[in-house]
Amino acid sequence: MDALDLRILARLQQDARISNVELAKAVNLSPSPCLARVRVLEASGTIGRYVTLLDPKKLGLTVSVLVQVTLEKQIEPALETFEKAVRERPEVMECYLMTGDADYLLRVLVPDVPAFERFILEFLSRVPGVGNIKSSFALKQVKYQTALPLTIKPATTLPRGRSRKR
């Protein structure tokens, strides 16, 4: 992956619906090689998929909760059971296996507090092996981004009077 690939990725992170012609122009490349690079990035899995980001508040999903879950036993079957269960729940936006006090950290998005209460009582507390649940309600989203931090290295400069051999 070179600097040109990184520029393509950075631009696609800003607008995945950009046309190939516009993308090529933005990265200073002709359309055909630009499309070929995008296809290679897709085939390699660097570009996993294209998505539409929705505004949760406009869809009535106004309550974001960070949930720490500790299992009774940290053995592989218990971990697998828990992970399978949370993968099936649409309100679980993110789930991380953690080090530290809790085994998992979840970000849960629901329309209101009663919906979160139902999530806890009817689902999370019933998952086999769950030992402890601690929840923190997010009061305000200070930062949210989906774009990965790509480091685009500047072209290497040579001392004056020197040129690169090709």
Side-chain angles (χ1 to χ4, degrees):
M1 182 166 317
D2 61 14
L4 189 53
D5 288 332
L6 291 173
R7 289 200 317 267
I8 289 170
L9 293 171
R11 186 64 183 95
L12 284 172
Q13 285 191 123
Q14 293 172 1
D15 179 8
R17 291 187 65 184
I18 189 171
S19 72
N20 183 60
V21 171
E22 291 175 79
L23 177 60
K25 187 183 292 185
V27 298
N28 198 24
L29 192 62
S30 61
S32 184
C34 182
L35 183 59
R37 282 178 175 261
V38 169
R39 296 292 183 241
V40 168
L41 291 166
E42 291 169 342
S44 71
T46 302
I47 297 174
R49 61 188 167 147
Y50 297 91
V51 299
T52 301
L53 298 177
L54 306 176
D55 184 338
K57 288 186 174 101
K58 291 188 179 178
L59 295 167
L61 298 168
T62 58
V63 178
S64 184
V65 189
L66 299 173
V67 183
Q68 295 179 333
V69 178
T70 304
L71 302 181
E72 292 169 346
K73 295 179 182 178
Q74 293 76 25
I75 57 175
E76 193 170 340
L79 300 173
E80 289 172 358
T81 298
F82 180 79
E83 291 174 13
K84 182 181 184 303
V86 297
R87 273 192 207 100
E88 295 172 358
R89 295 302 297 222
E91 62 270 80
V92 177
M93 303 304 296
E94 299 174 68
C95 176
Y96 300 95
L97 178 61
M98 304 293 291
T99 62
D101 295 333
D103 295 313
Y104 288 93
L105 178 65
L106 287 69
R107 184 171 70 89
V108 177
L109 193 57
V110 290
D112 51 33
V113 175
F116 181 69
E117 180 182 9
R118 284 190 303 279
F119 172 79
I120 294 293
L121 295 177
E122 297 171 12
F123 167 68
L124 196 56
S125 64
R126 294 181 181 183
V127 175
V130 169
N132 191 13
I133 301 168
K134 291 182 185 178
S135 303
S136 298
F137 285 77
L139 299 177
K140 176 175 136 183
Q141 186 176 71
V142 176
K143 182 179 178 180
Y144 172 77
Q145 73 178 44
T146 60
L148 298 178
L150 301 177
T151 305
I152 301 174
K153 297 178 182 175
T156 307
T157 56
L158 297 171
R160 288 188 178 190
R162 296 251 172 148
S163 61
R164 289 194 178 127
K165 290 186 178 183
R166 296 189 188 244

